[in-house]
Amino acid sequence: MKAAIITIGNEILSGMTLDTNAAYLSQELGTIGIPVVLKISVGDRAIDIQMAFKQALSDSDIVLCTGGLGPTSDDITKKVAARFFKSKLKLDKGTLEHIRSRFAKRGIEMPACNRWQAMVPDRAAVLFNPEGTAPGLLFKKGKKILILMPGVPREMRAIFAGSLKERLAGLSCGMKINMLTLRTTGIPESVIAEKLAPFEKCLAKGTLAYLPTRLGVDLRLTMSGKDASQISAKLQELSAKIKQLLGNVIYGQDDETMEQAVGRLLKEKKLTLTTAESCTGGLIADRITDVPGSSVNFLGSVIAYSNVLKEKMLGVKSQTLRLHGAVSKETAIEMANGVRGRLGSDLGLTITGIAGPAGGTDKKPVGLVFMAVAGPKGTMVEERRFLGQRRHIKESATQAALNMLRLYLLK
C-alpha cells in the first residue's frame, strides 16, 4: 500500500504559501503504515491537475489532494476530478445545510457562490468538514482511491482525523509506524551526534533522525511493525537511553514546547513567575501566555525598553546603568530582583540585549544578551551571543532565557 500527495494552488507554486499540508499528511500516513512515495505541487490549471491525477494514481494506491475546493472561480479541483472520474455534479442537501448553518451562526447571509461547494460528484463519498464549508470527497475506482480535501490546514486536518485516518489504517495490512521525538536546546547538532555515536551504531538505519530547528535540535525515533505495544515499548527503551546520554539538554517530548515545559515545572513546584524584558519586547511573556492555564503561575510582565523605565518600574540603579550600561549582567540581575520584588512573585526572569541591526559596538556587538533569574535559590545570570537577523536574535534569546529558568527550576 503506497500513497501520493498532491497540493494544488498557484500560491503554493509561487512560494507565497508554505506547504505544511504535505508534511502533515506524510507524518500521519506514516503512523498507520502507509509510506508516501510521491509528492506533487501544481497550480490552478485544469490540465496540470489532470496530469497530476494520472501520474499519482499510476504510482500509488491512495492519492490525497489538498486545495482548490473553495467557492471562487479559480477553485477547479472538484470540477476536474468529476470529469476525470466521469461523474456528474449534484446538490448534496446535507452539505448545503451545514454551510448555511455556519453563516447563520455568524449572523451572515450565505453568499450565492457558497452553494457551489454543496454540489458534489455523484461517484464520490462526502467527507464532513467540521471546520469549514468545503467538504472532502473520496473517489474510488477499482483498488485506487483519490481523496480531495480543502487547502486550509485546519480544515484538512479535521477531515483527515475525523473521516479518513481510521479508514485508511484498515487498508495498511496491519503495519504500524510509530515515532517519538525528543526535543533539545542549547547544544549544537554536531555535539549531540558525538555523544550519541556509540548508541547509533546499535540502531537500524532510519531509526534516529536529527531535525534541527531555529530553537534547537529535535531527535526523532521511528520504528515499524505489526505489534503497536511492542513498538511503543522499544521506543520508550531507546528514548530512555538517549535521555541518559544527553541529560538536561532534553526539555520535552513530541509536541511539548519550552514554555509548556517551564509551565509544567512551575506548577509542580507551586511557584509564581514575573518577567521583565527589554530587547525581546514581551516575547517571553507572549510565549508563556500561549500555554492554556498559565495564569495560575504567571503573574505578569514589565516591558522596560528605556533606561528610565528600568529605573522607575524595576528599581535598576542609575549608577548601575551609568557604569555598566543597560546591556550588562549587573543590569540584568537588578531587573530580575526588581520585577520579582515589585510584582510579588517567587521568581523573576529578565532579559536585556542588543537585537540589532544597529546599536552594536566592538565591546557590545549585535546579538549580545544578558539574562537573569532571581528566586528562592538565589540569582543566576548568563551572557549569550546570538547571530542572525533581529527577529531570529529575539526568538533565540527567549528560548535561551526560558531554558535558563527551566534549569534553575531543576536544580
Side-chain angles (χ1 to χ4, degrees), residues 183-185 248-269 271 273 287-288 290-292 294 297 347 399 401-410:
R183 313 201 70 183
T184 76
T185 195
N248 283 340
V249 300
I250 297 172
Y251 66 85
Q253 183 170 314
D254 294 329
D255 295 327
E256 187 175 38
T257 62
M258 176 63 76
E259 47 270 32
Q260 288 173 330
V262 168
R264 171 170 47 79
L265 289 171
L266 287 172
K267 286 178 182 173
E268 287 175 5
K269 296 178 182 297
L271 295 172
L273 171 70
R287 289 181 61 174
I288 291 172
D290 266 347
V291 181
S294 57
N297 302 90
L347 296 155
Q399 180 79 351
L402 286 168
N403 191 45
M404 182 184 179
L405 173 60
R406 181 183 70 90
L407 296 174
Y408 184 96
L409 290 168
L410 289 174

Side-chain angles (χ1 to χ4, degrees), residues 349-379:
L349 173 65
T350 193
I351 192 163
T352 180
I354 305 168
T361 65
D362 290 341
K363 288 187 178 179
K364 294 185 177 181
V366 168
L368 176 66
V369 169
F370 290 93
M371 52 194 72
V373 178
K377 298 174 184 174
T379 303

Side-chain angles (χ1 to χ4, degrees), residues 110-174:
M110 186 187 84
C113 63
N114 280 98
R115 184 181 173 84
W116 162 250
Q117 292 182 295
M119 299 297 292
V120 303
D122 58 5
R123 293 187 177 180
V126 174
L127 306 173
F128 180 62
N129 179 358
E131 295 287 340
T133 55
L137 298 167
L138 187 150
F139 296 86
K140 191 170 184 182
K141 187 175 183 180
K143 294 183 179 180
K144 302 283 185 176
I145 294 174
L146 176 78
I147 298 159
L148 307 184
M149 291 180 286
V152 178
R154 182 185 75 256
E155 298 182 30
M156 182 275 294
R157 293 181 185 207
I159 291 174
F160 185 86
S163 302
L164 282 173
K165 187 171 182 178
E166 190 173 339
R167 186 185 302 198
L168 296 179
L171 305 174
S172 64
C173 303

Side-chain angles (χ1 to χ4, degrees), residues 23-236:
Y24 169 83
L25 289 172
S26 289
Q27 291 178 16
E28 288 296 308
L29 290 168
T31 64
I32 55 177
I34 300 177
V36 174
V37 297
L38 181 69
K39 292 181 184 178
I40 304 173
S41 293
V42 296
D44 298 310
R45 283 207 322 161
I47 184 65
D48 296 331
I49 296 172
Q50 186 173 322
M51 290 296 291
F53 286 168
K54 282 184 180 177
Q55 183 182 352
L57 285 168
S58 68
D59 292 336
S60 309
D61 308 287
I62 302 167
V63 178
L64 294 104
C65 307
T66 68
L69 298 183
T72 57
S73 59
D74 61 341
D75 293 307
I76 61 173
T77 304
K78 178 172 62 181
K79 194 183 294 183
V80 174
R83 193 160 56 233
F84 189 83
F85 285 95
K86 298 180 172 54
S87 186
K88 294 179 181 177
L89 296 175
K90 65 175 184 179
L91 179 67
D92 185 80
K93 292 182 180 178
T95 299
L96 181 61
E97 183 54 34
H98 170 65
I99 296 171
R100 279 184 173 147
S101 70
R102 287 187 64 86
F103 279 98
K105 286 176 183 175
R106 299 170 59 195
I108 302 172
E109 188 175 345
M110 186 187 84
C113 63
N114 280 98
R115 184 181 173 84
W116 162 250
Q117 292 182 295
M119 299 297 292
V120 303
D122 58 5
R123 293 187 177 180
V126 174
L127 306 173
F128 180 62
N129 179 358
E131 295 287 340
T133 55
L137 298 167
L138 187 150
F139 296 86
K140 191 170 184 182
K141 187 175 183 180
K143 294 183 179 180
K144 302 283 185 176
I145 294 174
L146 176 78
I147 298 159
L148 307 184
M149 291 180 286
V152 178
R154 182 185 75 256
E155 298 182 30
M156 182 275 294
R157 293 181 185 207
I159 291 174
F160 185 86
S163 302
L164 282 173
K165 187 171 182 178
E166 190 173 339
R167 186 185 302 198
L168 296 179
L171 305 174
S172 64
C173 303
M175 286 298 291
K176 308 285 184 187
I177 301 176
N178 281 5
M179 289 178 277
L180 185 152
T181 302
L182 297 174
R183 313 201 70 183
T184 76
T185 195
I187 181 170
E189 181 182 7
S190 55
V191 176
I192 295 175
E194 286 182 355
K195 288 178 178 286
L196 296 184
F199 168 78
E200 277 196 86
K201 287 180 181 176
C202 303
L203 295 178
K205 188 178 180 182
T207 302
L208 177 64
Y210 292 75
L211 307 173
T213 73
R214 69 182 187 282
L215 299 180
V217 180
D218 291 344
L219 302 171
R220 178 165 296 162
L221 289 162
T222 304
M223 298 198 74
S224 61
K226 291 195 173 182
D227 189 321
S229 60
Q230 284 185 2
I231 299 170
S232 179
K234 186 64 179 175
L235 285 175
Q236 293 298 331

